[in-house]
Amino acid sequence: MGRGDLTNAVWDRLKSFLPLGGARGGRWSDHRRVINGVLYRVRTGVQWRDLPERFGPWETVYKRHRRWSADGTWKMLLSRIQAAQDAAGQIDWEVSVDSTAVRAHQHAAGARKTPAAAVSQKGAGARDEPGRSGVAETDGPAGGGGQVGECLGRSRGGFTTKIHLVADGRCRPLAFVLTPGHYGDGPQLARVLEEVSVPRVGVGRPRKRPDRVLADKAYTSRGNRRYLRRRGIPHTIPERLDQQRHRQNRGSRGGRPTEFDSELYKKRNTVERAINRLKSFRAVATRYEKRAYTYLGTVTVAALMVWLRT
């Protein structure tokens, strides 16, 4: 077992959730070896072609990662692990929200403007087009295409992608979404909170509402506060100075000051530490993938390992 590979204890937790058969009635290559190859690439950021031979053919590892990113297998594995943690009472539901910018490598540019899902409308038994590498190249989720569609944009940090995430009180990412680097943080609060959905191990609906949300001044808009109140979620978000002056200038029409607990706000650094954990994986800290859904799969693999190791 190499450094960073799945331990026996972690493998025992994962293997029961993995798909049993391959596409078109075939068999998967050994799941453990292929997943270890994906983990090696996510941890080191090497090119797929440079994977060590002990992981088998690099095309197999690459296509498995791309396919599982497209069909939601990585997301399903993360949900199952989160559900087990929630059933054991190991999730702190006082969550924090923030974002981080990820510099995109030059190889991340140049994706086709036509979404990958629309390129091939062939059935499962049809032949692939010449010059393409099969299902991994042509089958993908709907959407995407173009710079903004692939979550790439120009910001003060350069050519970047933003990861907006919700972290629990133990510095583990509960949910995340991608946007181009020039998108603001505040408008994404509702979107990223809607992604929080931890299934129940037994009977019951998934848990979607945290006990409290902590966020910085980027999320202090009245729209965000209305959204949180509508969902019945207590929040601790500081108010900007210009908002305070505006409210005071309006007198009684300005409403009451927002409630803010400075001691409770200190717990917001959990999301910063969750971001540090994600960015310890080099393929997350720098984006190399052209397709947004493939990079989202890479972030999901890193988040899965964070949950399995804490």
Side-chain angles (χ1 to χ4, degrees):
M1 186 175 66
R3 176 174 176 263
D5 288 355
L6 296 174
T7 63
N8 291 333
V10 170
W11 174 244
D12 289 339
R13 297 172 64 186
L14 277 182
K15 63 181 180 181
S16 61
F17 304 138
L18 296 172
L20 298 179
R24 303 178 184 176
R27 292 185 178 180
W28 293 107
S29 298
D30 180 59
H31 277 316
R32 187 168 185 177
R33 183 179 68 173
V34 173
I35 292 175
N36 283 334
V38 173
L39 293 178
Y40 182 89
R41 189 265 171 179
V42 173
R43 179 171 59 85
T44 61
V46 300
Q47 294 186 13
W48 291 103
R49 294 175 182 272
D50 295 333
L51 283 175
E53 293 182 358
R54 65 187 178 92
F55 300 121
W58 70 267
E59 297 97 333
T60 300
V61 182
Y62 165 70
K63 290 181 181 180
R64 185 80 56 85
H65 173 61
R66 186 159 183 165
R67 184 180 293 113
W68 284 5
S69 299
D71 65 15
T73 300
W74 291 126
K75 185 176 180 179
M76 178 271 295
L77 293 175
L78 179 60
S79 297
R80 296 290 183 89
I81 297 302
Q82 289 175 344
Q85 291 284 302
D86 188 41
Q90 297 298 317
I91 296 182
D92 184 347
W93 283 95
E94 285 191 349
V95 305
S96 302
V97 181
D98 205 353
S99 73
T100 182
V102 175
R103 188 68 181 265
H105 193 270
Q106 61 183 358
H107 293 165
R112 294 192 305 270
K113 292 185 179 181
T114 303
V119 173
S120 175
Q121 301 295 336
K122 303 185 300 296
R127 287 182 172 272
D128 296 326
E129 296 177 13
R132 303 200 183 279
S133 57
V135 177
E137 288 294 338
T138 57
D139 289 353
Q147 183 170 298
V148 173
E150 300 299 344
C151 298
L152 292 166
R154 296 284 179 181
S155 65
R156 286 184 294 178
F159 195 45
T160 53
T161 293
K162 261 191 179 179
I163 305 174
H164 305 262
L165 73 155
V166 181
D168 78 331
R170 298 184 63 188
C171 310
R172 300 172 298 187
L174 277 171
F176 36 83
V177 296
L178 302 182
T179 65
H182 60 279
Y183 278 33
D185 293 353
Q188 306 304 320
L189 177 68
R191 181 184 173 194
V192 71
L193 285 178
E194 293 293 336
E195 290 294 318
V196 176
S197 181
V198 178
R200 307 286 185 179
V201 173
V203 179
R205 297 178 180 178
R207 176 158 185 179
K208 299 183 177 183
R209 187 171 62 182
D211 293 336
R212 178 173 290 272
V213 170
L214 295 88
D216 59 19
K217 293 181 180 180
Y219 300 89
T220 188
S221 69
R222 288 182 293 178
N224 285 339
R225 294 183 188 274
R226 283 196 299 267
Y227 167 77
L228 293 170
R229 286 194 297 268
R230 186 171 64 251
R231 291 192 59 188
I233 302 175
H235 54 276
T236 301
I237 305 175
E239 193 176 29
R240 294 197 308 265
L241 292 178
D242 62 327
Q243 290 179 321
Q244 295 177 9
R245 288 194 296 266
H246 180 66
R247 174 172 45 78
Q248 292 169 0
N249 291 338
R250 296 185 65 188
S252 60
R253 295 179 301 164
R256 298 178 180 179
T258 58
E259 182 182 356
F260 178 72
D261 188 338
S262 59
E263 287 299 318
L264 189 59
Y265 184 69
K266 293 178 181 179
K267 193 177 178 181
R268 196 195 66 84
N269 71 348
T270 55
V271 68
E272 305 288 352
R273 290 149 64 189
I275 289 172
N276 290 340
R277 285 180 174 180
L278 284 179
K279 284 193 167 182
S280 66
F281 295 86
R282 294 192 174 186
V284 175
T286 302
R287 174 177 170 175
Y288 299 98
E289 290 86 353
K290 296 181 185 297
R291 293 296 181 188
Y293 74 88
T294 312
Y295 179 65
L296 184 62
T298 298
V299 178
T300 306
V301 172
L304 175 64
M305 296 313 299
V306 169
W307 278 86
L308 288 171
R309 292 172 179 173
T310 54

